């Protein structure tokens, strides 16, 4: 059985995407083992910085590796009527959408999760618990400039986030589609995806400036002569907006305003994750729409995983550095220059008096 405090902790994984175009390009990040990686230290070239996470996935990692290690173990909670959230964090171009959606050849977390849920339900109804009947439905929304928009049933206005008497968070009037298979899901999800607010930045022409939130609900019902019992488990699969800073993307005007809102809500998400992982008594859920929405699915009895995406190329260095500092459980300055090959046997001395955690805002100011 899980230790109580483990339930509220947010597991943090980092995935380094492969170099996309030029194979000879200079890299500023490299993996060490299944939990840690190093990047060069821009403040001191004689040092590198070593970060440790719950899981690290290197450039060769496959979609199934991330899913099996980080996401699949959480899905059983959704099937038991508990809430789960999985979110992809990182700069634009680092692989968030690839990790979450993937391609038809390399499906990501979203199709794999649905496939696993449908299979588990089928097995359960055929096998040990035929009396429990399941239905799966989904909603799809985006949070853009602190406003909530329905992507399934497009409405012009911002939707309010509410809490019911059992402290469940919900959005009134949010569209919900029942689905019977992964194919059925794709049929409704693909057109809804086209409704996302995207705008070109210098980094990525399909750069997403909003948080896209897929909510999958698994409802279990058992009917006897005397009563009808039901349980609902929620699974949030979230592709967060890019975490890059304004100066590098050349954002101005409306784009700069968007970046402000994005960074503000990412900053609040970081504060919530930090508070949960440090076991603080007060978790600041109410400070942004995103964290308010996740209040019943992040911390408490919910289970959560942050999939942090980073890119290896030098041009991403500052974003990678900021992203790792945001996500890191621990960080050490290592007194040796950054190298691309790591010797397993060499004992690396660690520097003392290093600040353990830095917030994302350090680099933005
Ligand atoms: P983001 O959503 O973070 O902006 P994308 O997921 O769109 O980034 O990834 C940027 C580009 O890199 C896309 O062309 C995507 O197909 C590719 N890509 C990302 N991660 C990987 C990976 N692990 N393996 C292969 N290609 C990847
Ligand atoms: Mg994307």
């Amino acid at each position: 059985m899980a230790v109580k405090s483990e339930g509220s902790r947010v597991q943090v994984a980092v995935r380094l995407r492969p170099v996309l175009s030029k194979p000879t390009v200079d890299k500023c990040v490299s993996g060490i083992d299944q939990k840690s990686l190093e990047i060069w230290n821009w403040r001191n070239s004689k040092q590198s910085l070593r970060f440790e996470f719950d899981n690290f996935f290197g450039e060769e990692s496959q979609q199934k590796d991330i899913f099996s290690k980080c996401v699949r173990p959480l899905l059983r909670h959704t099937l038991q009527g508990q809430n789960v959230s999985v979110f992809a964090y990182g700069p634009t171009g680092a692989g968030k959408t690839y990790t979450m959606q993937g391609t038809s050849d390399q499906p990501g977390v979203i199709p794999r999760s649905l496939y696993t849920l449908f299979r588990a339900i089928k097995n359960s109804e055929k096998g040990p618990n035929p009396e429990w009947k399941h239905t799966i439905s989904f909603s799809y929304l985006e949070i853009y400039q602190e406003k909530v928009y329905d992507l399934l049933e497009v409405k012009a206005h911002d939707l309010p986030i509410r809490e019911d008497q059992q402290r469940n968070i919900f959005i009134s009037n949010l569209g919900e589609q029942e689905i019977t298979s992964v194919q059925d899901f794709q049929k409704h999800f693909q057109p809804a995806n086209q409704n996302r607010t995207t705008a070109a930045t210098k980094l990525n022409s399909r750069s997403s400036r909003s948080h896209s939130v897929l909510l999958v609900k698994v409802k279990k019902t058992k009917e006897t002569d005397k009563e009808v019992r039901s349980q609902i488990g929620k699974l949030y699969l979230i592709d967060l907006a890019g975490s890059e800073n304004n100066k590098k993307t050349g954002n101005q005007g409306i784009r700069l305003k968007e970046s402000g809102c994005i960074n503000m809500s990412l900053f609040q998400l970081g504060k919530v994750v930090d508070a949960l992982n440090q076991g603080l008594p007060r978790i600041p859920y109410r400070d942004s729409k995103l964290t308010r929405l996740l209040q019943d699915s992040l911390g408490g009895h919910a289970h959560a995983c942050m999939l942090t995406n980073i890119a290896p190329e030098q041009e991403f260095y500052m974003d990678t550095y900021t992203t790792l500092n945001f996500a890191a459980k621990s960080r050490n300055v290592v007194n040796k220059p950054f190298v691309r090959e790591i010797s397993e046997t060499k004992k690396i001395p660690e520097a003392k008096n290093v600040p353990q955690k830095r917030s994302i805002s350090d680099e933005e100011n």
Side-chain angles (χ1 to χ4, degrees), residues 96-97 196 208 239:
K96 296 181 296 297
T97 305
R196 279 195 76 181
S208 175
D239 188 343

Side-chain angles (χ1 to χ4, degrees), residues 181-194:
S181 64
V182 183
Q183 291 71 23
D184 193 22
F185 164 74
Q186 295 288 11
K187 199 176 84 190
H188 294 97
F189 180 67
Q190 295 305 351
N193 235 348
Q194 303 301 318

Side-chain angles (χ1 to χ4, degrees), residues 15-18 20 59 61 63 90-99 103 204 206-208 239-240 242 309:
R15 181 185 201 179
L16 175 63
R17 78 147 159 71
L20 295 174
E59 290 179 68
S61 64
Q63 300 283 56
T92 298
K96 296 181 296 297
T97 305
Y98 183 86
T99 297
T103 61
N204 186 333
R206 290 269 311 162
S207 161
S208 175
D239 188 343
L240 293 169
N309 291 268

Side-chain angles (χ1 to χ4, degrees), residues 206-277:
R206 290 269 311 162
S207 161
S208 175
R209 315 301 300 152
S210 63
H211 309 297
S212 81
V213 180
L214 172 66
L215 165 60
V216 178
K217 269 193 209 167
V218 179
K219 187 172 182 192
K220 288 166 79 165
T221 315
K222 183 176 171 177
E223 209 173 329
T224 61
D225 294 343
K226 295 193 198 106
E227 57 173 2
V228 180
R229 285 173 62 194
S230 66
Q231 288 177 2
I232 295 178
K234 293 197 281 189
L235 168 67
Y236 279 105
L237 298 171
I238 302 175
D239 188 343
L240 293 169
S243 60
E244 60 274 5
N245 69 35
N246 302 325
K247 290 177 201 125
K248 188 176 160 202
T249 46
N251 287 337
Q252 287 179 331
I254 181 83
R255 293 287 90 88
L256 188 63
K257 187 169 170 237
E258 287 175 357
S259 281
C261 283
I262 291 160
N263 289 345
M264 196 280 284
S265 67
L266 288 177
F267 178 67
Q268 297 303 344
L269 176 66
K271 287 209 309 202
V272 166
V273 170
D274 256 2
L276 289 168
N277 287 357

Side-chain angles (χ1 to χ4, degrees), residues 74-87:
L74 303 180
L75 298 180
R76 69 188 163 89
H77 301 297
T78 307
L79 293 162
Q80 290 163 359
Q82 294 170 20
N83 298 344
V84 169
S85 55
V86 175
F87 38 96

Side-chain angles (χ1 to χ4, degrees), residues 116-128:
T116 303
L117 289 174
F118 277 115
R119 203 181 41 185
I121 285 168
K122 204 169 153 195
N123 289 342
S124 157
E125 290 183 2
K126 272 199 312 199

